[in-house]
Amino acid sequence: MARYSLDVPAGYTGTLLVLGHGAGGDVDAVDLVAVRAAVLAAGAGVAMVTQPYRVAGARRPPAPARQLDAAWLAVVAELRRRVAIDTLVVGGRSSGARVACRTAVEAGAGRVLALAFPLHPPGRPEVTRSDELRTGVPTLVLNGDRDAFGVPEPSPTVHVEVLPGETHSLSKAPQLLAQLAVAFVTTAGVAR
């Protein structure tokens, strides 16, 4: 079972951001921590989700996509029972971004925040995951221009911000990343 922590600020606006970690990391990644702090400061709630394989032990590999997605949807359902949500924003970094995209429609998300979306495995651009971004839900992708996993192309519902000098870790300018993310998470409407 997935584990989550939920923070709802005193001036909660009704917007809840649910964030997941990457395949090899946890919810303490630099980019996730920066986004969490900025979103909370703006009055939105944040739930940080740790997938079951990570809960079971750091050396365990990620589960198949269907298991990750099921665990994520179970957390979203639990969060809906615990807190009033006017706008649900789902997101994460890398693998967590993929989970958020794959489940956005079923979760009833109003927006998707994709940090370091892994367009393809490093060195294998022919194996694209671009279909996962085509949810129809307004999506903001924040990727580094030096990301070995590639950078997705924008589309009518997907806005892509490419951060200069950043790699897949998105750790060089966390405040800029957080600034872009919080504007998207807390503003109604479509992706800029």
Side-chain angles (χ1 to χ4, degrees):
M1 187 156 185
R3 178 177 62 218
Y4 68 90
S5 63
L6 172 63
D7 293 296
V8 179
Y12 178 57
T13 62
T15 296
L16 179 68
L17 171 63
V18 182
L19 279 174
H21 56 80
D26 210 332
V27 295
D28 60 355
V30 171
D31 55 347
L32 295 177
V33 170
V35 168
R36 176 189 169 276
V39 168
L40 285 172
V46 180
M48 304 292 277
V49 180
T50 303
Q51 283 284 4
Y53 73 91
R54 181 66 59 211
V55 172
R59 295 191 179 268
R60 300 206 39 170
R66 70 183 183 288
Q67 291 176 9
L68 297 174
D69 296 355
W72 180 265
L73 289 168
V75 166
V76 170
E78 173 65 20
L79 289 167
R80 286 191 181 281
R81 288 189 288 273
R82 287 193 59 194
V83 64
I85 303 170
D86 296 328
T87 303
L88 175 67
V89 182
V90 294
R93 71 163 283 101
S94 195
S95 173
R98 294 181 65 203
V99 171
C101 288
R102 290 192 305 259
T103 62
V105 171
E106 189 173 347
R111 293 190 281 288
V112 178
L113 175 64
L115 307 174
F117 186 86
L119 182 61
H120 57 73
R124 298 187 56 206
E126 73 281 1
V127 182
T128 183
R129 298 171 180 134
S130 61
D131 287 350
E132 291 180 355
L133 284 168
R134 295 187 190 113
T135 66
V137 176
T139 300
L140 174 62
V141 176
L142 299 174
N143 270 58
D145 68 347
R146 297 180 183 183
D147 193 329
F149 290 83
V151 177
E153 292 292 323
S155 72
T157 59
V158 178
H159 180 78
V160 179
E161 287 278 349
V162 181
L163 305 175
E166 287 282 4
T167 64
H168 194 65
S169 68
L170 292 177
S171 61
K172 293 183 180 180
Q175 297 312 325
L176 171 60
L177 177 90
Q179 185 178 28
L180 293 167
V182 76
F184 177 74
V185 169
T186 61
T187 304
V190 297
R192 304 180 291 128

